Amino acid sequence: MGRIIAISNQKGGVGKTTTSVNLASALSYLGKRVLLVDMDHQANATTYMGINRANLSRTIADMFSGEAAIDEIIQTVPGLDVDILPSRFELSSIESVILKRENKEFILLNELSGIKDAYDYILIDCPPSLGIITTNALMASDSVIIPVQCEFLAMDGLTQLRNTIRIIQTRRRYEKRRLEIEGVLLTMLDTRSNIGYEVISEVKTYFKEKVFNTIIPRNVKCSVAASHGVPVTEFSPYSKGAISYQNLAKEMVMNHE
């Protein structure tokens, strides 16, 4: 049975999409069946995976509005052994529609339940907010990865996310479904700066054993890969960024064995 993992932090610019895309790719290289769910209205994960949004006839917004089932929307990423549930800008206006639907917090969970067994991992790239779309992601997930940027004010907003996770955990107890913290992922480490190492110490003090051993360095190859519409693991497989995401995938798989 597949494991559903949300990648979430309401603070923008911490590497959620970069992590979602490259972790999906790295897991596929380990022989895992992977579905990437793009839940951000900016649709960066969709573009990052080389999908032309203008050519999409159906997106995740159609699933949330009830106009299409999930299996009508999923696409295989060209050149990669990864499937994607793509997004487009209209997702930004779909929240009002979701709020009117019955069981509005469980739409994604109900849709994924029918295809979960087809994958080893389902990764959800969450938007930088804690609205109904992120609530859907957390309600559907088995665990959550929290990317934290190794820069000043890195901990800003994490208390709010932790409170949201606790609320979800409390509500899910009645369904006998747990929501675990898969791990806190330190990203964008600048090895030339003392601030980065101070953040690492602070995060490890706060989250203790929940922090991944793998740390993602700041690496220009990740940005260049994104502009070419491919994961860095594909674009520059021997770069520091690619190797780090490959190590993250291995660490995560080992944690589940």
Side-chain angles (χ1 to χ4, degrees):
M1 181 178 290
R3 185 170 182 84
I4 304 175
I5 303 174
I7 299 170
S8 181
N9 186 337
Q10 76 271 21
K11 186 176 174 66
V14 298
K16 288 189 298 293
T17 298
T18 300
T19 295
S20 301
V21 166
N22 288 296
L23 181 56
S25 175
L27 286 168
S28 75
Y29 287 133
L30 295 177
K32 303 302 180 182
R33 300 165 298 166
V34 184
L35 171 66
L36 176 61
V37 180
D38 190 350
M39 294 271 277
D40 193 339
H41 73 271
Q42 297 179 75
N44 289 331
T46 300
T47 302
Y48 204 149
M49 281 298 199
I51 305 278
N52 187 337
R53 293 173 299 195
N55 294 336
L56 294 171
S57 58
R58 297 284 192 182
T59 70
I60 195 170
D62 296 294
M63 183 203 76
F64 275 118
S65 66
E67 295 178 11
I70 194 168
D71 55 5
E72 299 176 76
I73 306 167
I74 291 173
Q75 297 193 15
T76 298
V77 177
L80 282 177
D81 194 16
V82 174
D83 287 349
I84 187 169
L85 185 58
S87 182
R88 204 163 52 189
F89 294 119
E90 63 261 34
L91 185 59
S92 62
S93 59
I94 207 70
E95 287 210 7
S96 59
V97 176
I98 297 173
L99 290 170
K100 294 175 184 176
R101 291 194 61 186
E102 189 177 353
N103 296 321
K104 57 183 178 290
E105 296 177 339
F106 301 98
I107 296 170
L108 183 63
L109 171 64
N110 292 336
E111 290 285 345
L112 288 178
S113 63
I115 63 166
K116 187 176 181 180
D117 290 347
Y119 298 97
D120 297 304
Y121 289 97
I122 297 175
L123 304 181
I124 306 174
D125 183 25
C126 295
S129 66
L130 294 175
I132 189 63
I133 290 178
T134 298
T135 298
N136 260 268
L138 295 176
M139 280 294 190
S141 297
D142 300 304
S143 58
V144 55
I145 291 175
I146 306 172
V148 176
Q149 188 177 9
C150 294
E151 292 193 1
F152 184 59
L153 296 178
M155 301 292 285
D156 190 34
L158 282 183
T159 301
Q160 186 181 357
L161 177 60
R162 286 293 299 268
N163 288 340
T164 300
I165 290 172
R166 288 191 185 102
I167 291 169
I168 300 290
Q169 288 170 329
T170 300
R171 288 155 76 176
R172 283 174 47 158
R173 281 187 197 133
Y174 300 108
E175 309 161 43
K176 298 182 179 178
R177 295 175 56 246
R178 292 176 56 84
L179 175 63
E180 302 172 354
I181 294 180
E182 183 76 28
V184 177
L185 177 66
L186 293 156
T187 65
M188 302 183 190
L189 173 64
D190 184 348
T191 56
R192 301 166 298 177
S193 168
N194 289 332
I195 293 176
Y197 294 102
E198 290 171 6
V199 170
I200 291 172
S201 177
E202 185 179 5
V203 170
K204 287 186 174 180
T205 299
Y206 188 75
F207 286 99
K208 298 181 172 60
E209 74 282 354
K210 287 296 184 181
V211 181
F212 283 111
N213 293 322
T214 303
I215 298 175
I216 310 299
R218 185 174 290 281
N219 185 242
V220 69
K221 292 291 186 182
C222 290
S223 300
V224 176
S227 69
H228 284 78
V230 291
V232 71
T233 48
E234 182 80 8
F235 178 77
S236 184
Y238 301 107
S239 65
K240 289 182 180 179
I243 292 170
S244 296
Y245 280 113
Q246 290 161 4
N247 289 338
L248 175 63
K250 292 173 185 175
E251 181 179 352
M252 201 170 75
V253 169
M254 283 182 61
N255 290 341
H256 295 155
E257 290 179 345

